[in-house]
Amino acid sequence: MLQSLLPQSPINPTATSSSEAAPVTSKRSSSPSSSDDPRPLKHPNLDISTAPPAADSPEIESRGLRLLSLLLQCAESVAVDNLSDALTLLPEITSLSSPFGSSPERVAAYFSDALRARILSSYLSSYSPLPLKTLTVTHRIPRSFHLLNSLTPLIKFSHFTSNQAIFQSIHSFSRLHIVDFDIMQGLQWPGLFHILASRPRPIESIRITGIGPDSDLLEATGRRLADFAASLNLPFQFTPLEGKIADLATDFTSFRHRDPAEATVVHWTQHCLYDVTGSDLAAAQFLLSLRPRLFTVVEQDLGRGSCGGFLGRFVEALHYYSALFDAIGDGGGGGEERWEVERGVLGGEIRNIVAVGGPKRTGEVRVERWGDELRRVGFRPVSLAGCPAAQASLLLGMVPWKGYTLAEEGGRLKLGWKDLSLLTASAWRPANSTGEEEEDGVEEWDKSGRASL
């Protein structure tokens, strides 16, 4: 496993990222594209009954170190625009890697595909991210996220912590408006509906404004949520908005209605699969204009490509996804379902980061750490210690995979794999809204759901 080959990066976000990489074995005669291969998901040569060699065997470790060296050499060549040398390294990387092998082999397969796409785009001077429609109109991406939810606690971590924080923040309100910046299938909201239906003071209305890249998927999500709300006798309204956040920010029609009894909360679970904002800076200003009662965000602990050069971003991504592939492999996932997740979600993210990312190529400025940007535009943090942290701890106690870790830092919750932080959940509110601050500037919610010391 790659995690055993390189120094570990601590869960503390202040620590610098170490250069982690990806080992290998088996041959790869026809590696599927990481994200836009039109072929069916079923792979005829995938034998889920054949286990790869032990990840800590000398053979795997030796091949892994060789592969790590090749990947870094290739990335170094790309970083200095020596594309011909980079191309000469790809055949050996391809021969050593496999999307069906050990976690190092699988990581290498997708990074080699991404490097190949990076080299091609450099020759063509084309730096566009993966198109939204291609990714979302098909059933592949929704199914892949469903499988990711079943193979890891990553998505549940986002749901448990954010739902608890939202529930506490609206204690005194009878109406709720949720703005979901990237609703996808809306998997998060049935859990919140359940706890709202059981609270002593009945909720009078719930409306969700769901933003996403495809109108058909948005409509299907709205129907599912409406059916679920009806089963709990909850009054519900769904408004779908197709597009990117920055584009929607020019028209405030859907957000102008303000009922004093209605709390507006905003949620965003981030990923690198496609561009949600259009402009991060415009999205941050739009968020402030909504004046939400609470904003919950779950970020990948991974730079978004706005700072540093290509090589630094490559090494950080290699480190991050090596841990994530290790978690999916050792944490209980395997076989065809694991392959679908890695191909449908993680491979697409890797391709966007490696083949597209970088302000010099796209001309876009991306927010590296949203906590810093939120403070800059006028938000202050709300602590997730207490009930949200207890919910996250309960979640990890329920799952069968034992390599995951949970840490609370400055009111944020960090979910990691073997002490490498993967996701950070945090909550925020406008700085001039009602509520007292602690000495360190972080609010907490008391048991009644009010901000307190």
Side-chain angles (χ1 to χ4, degrees), residues 71-113:
L71 285 170
L72 294 179
Q73 287 179 55
C74 188
E76 288 170 354
S77 296
V78 170
V80 295
D81 289 327
N82 189 347
L83 303 182
S84 59
D85 280 3
L87 278 172
T88 63
L89 294 168
L90 285 176
E92 186 176 358
I93 298 173
T94 300
S95 70
L96 290 173
S97 60
S98 168
F100 313 113
S102 64
S103 61
E105 295 172 326
R106 303 194 314 274
V107 170
Y110 292 103
F111 271 88
S112 65
D113 283 347

Side-chain angles (χ1 to χ4, degrees), residues 33-41 134-147 340 343-345:
S33 169
S34 54
S35 57
D36 55 357
D37 189 340
R39 292 173 295 179
L41 285 173
T134 300
L135 287 170
T136 56
V137 167
T138 67
H139 294 292
R140 179 181 302 167
I141 300 306
R143 173 172 166 77
S144 296
F145 271 101
H146 264 301
L147 292 173
E340 288 191 42
R343 183 195 188 204
V345 177

Side-chain angles (χ1 to χ4, degrees), residues 273-297:
L273 190 57
Y274 52 79
D275 178 21
V276 173
T277 66
S279 165
D280 283 1
L281 302 183
Q285 291 293 336
F286 175 54
L287 176 62
L288 182 64
S289 72
L290 294 178
R291 309 297 302 161
R293 170 73 174 169
L294 191 72
F295 171 53
T296 55
V297 59

Side-chain angles (χ1 to χ4, degrees), residues 388-442:
Q391 288 289 320
S393 181
L394 176 64
L395 168 65
L396 291 192
M398 294 168 57
V399 300
W401 317 296
K402 300 306 177 185
Y404 290 96
T405 57
L406 180 67
E408 188 271 330
E409 183 179 273
R412 299 171 298 167
L413 298 179
K414 305 180 77 65
L415 180 67
W417 174 256
K418 298 179 179 178
D419 293 328
L420 178 72
S421 183
L422 298 176
L423 297 177
T424 295
S426 60
W428 304 80
R429 64 184 307 172
N432 60 353
S433 61
T434 304
E436 299 177 341
E437 292 187 54
E438 292 185 305
E439 291 182 0
D440 62 358
V442 179

Side-chain angles (χ1 to χ4, degrees), residues 98-398:
S98 168
F100 313 113
S102 64
S103 61
E105 295 172 326
R106 303 194 314 274
V107 170
Y110 292 103
F111 271 88
S112 65
D113 283 347
L115 282 167
R116 185 176 290 103
R118 172 83 180 204
I119 293 168
L120 178 60
S121 68
S122 295
Y123 276 125
L124 299 176
S125 298
S126 174
Y127 312 128
S128 298
L130 295 173
L132 295 180
K133 292 288 187 179
T134 300
L135 287 170
T136 56
V137 167
T138 67
H139 294 292
R140 179 181 302 167
I141 300 306
R143 173 172 166 77
S144 296
F145 271 101
H146 264 301
L147 292 173
L148 180 63
N149 191 38
S150 67
L151 294 179
T152 76
L154 298 174
I155 295 177
K156 294 184 182 74
F157 168 75
S158 170
H159 297 177
F160 275 52
T161 55
S162 300
N163 283 349
Q164 184 62 39
I166 291 170
F167 179 72
Q168 290 178 220
S169 73
I170 63 168
H171 172 79
S172 60
F173 291 85
S174 59
R175 300 175 181 272
L176 173 62
H177 179 203
I178 300 168
V179 180
D180 192 328
F181 272 1
D182 187 26
I183 194 167
M184 293 184 150
Q185 293 174 294
L187 298 178
Q188 171 166 350
W189 305 120
L192 180 62
F193 289 179
H194 263 300
I195 57 177
L196 288 174
S198 64
R199 77 175 195 171
R201 180 182 180 181
I203 194 83
E204 294 179 8
S205 73
I206 303 171
R207 62 188 184 108
I208 293 181
T209 299
I211 300 172
D214 181 74
S215 58
D216 291 338
L217 288 180
L218 287 171
E219 294 289 351
T221 295
R223 288 192 296 270
R224 283 192 299 270
L225 291 176
D227 290 343
F228 192 85
S231 70
L232 298 174
N233 294 317
L234 292 174
F236 177 75
Q237 176 187 347
F238 182 78
T239 302
L241 291 179
E242 180 183 9
K244 297 180 181 181
I245 298 168
D247 298 333
L248 299 172
T250 60
D251 180 8
F252 286 85
T253 304
S254 301
F255 309 98
R256 281 178 181 153
H257 172 68
R258 284 288 184 178
D259 181 344
E262 181 181 71
T264 295
V265 299
V266 181
H267 176 74
W268 186 11
T269 296
Q270 297 183 352
H271 56 77
C272 298
L273 190 57
Y274 52 79
D275 178 21
V276 173
T277 66
S279 165
D280 283 1
L281 302 183
Q285 291 293 336
F286 175 54
L287 176 62
L288 182 64
S289 72
L290 294 178
R291 309 297 302 161
R293 170 73 174 169
L294 191 72
F295 171 53
T296 55
V297 59
V298 179
E299 302 176 73
Q300 293 172 304
D301 281 321
L302 175 68
R304 301 248 164 201
S306 293
C307 300
F310 168 77
L311 187 59
R313 294 195 304 273
F314 181 89
V315 169
E316 182 184 14
L318 189 57
H319 190 200
Y320 180 88
Y321 284 98
S322 294
L324 193 48
F325 275 62
D326 188 19
I328 294 176
D330 284 7
E336 190 171 352
E337 290 186 347
R338 181 189 67 199
W339 176 63
E340 288 191 42
V341 169
E342 292 172 351
R343 183 195 188 204
V345 177
L346 307 185
E349 291 191 334
I350 291 169
R351 186 174 176 129
N352 266 336
I353 293 169
V354 173
V356 179
K360 290 182 181 179
R361 291 163 63 88
T362 64
E364 297 175 350
V365 177
R366 291 298 182 188
V367 171
E368 197 75 14
R369 302 294 176 192
W370 273 89
D372 295 338
E373 180 63 16
L374 290 169
R375 285 187 175 90
R376 189 188 71 81
V377 299
F379 281 82
R380 62 168 175 251
V382 175
S383 176
L384 293 179
C387 289
Q391 288 289 320
S393 181
L394 176 64
L395 168 65
L396 291 192
M398 294 168 57

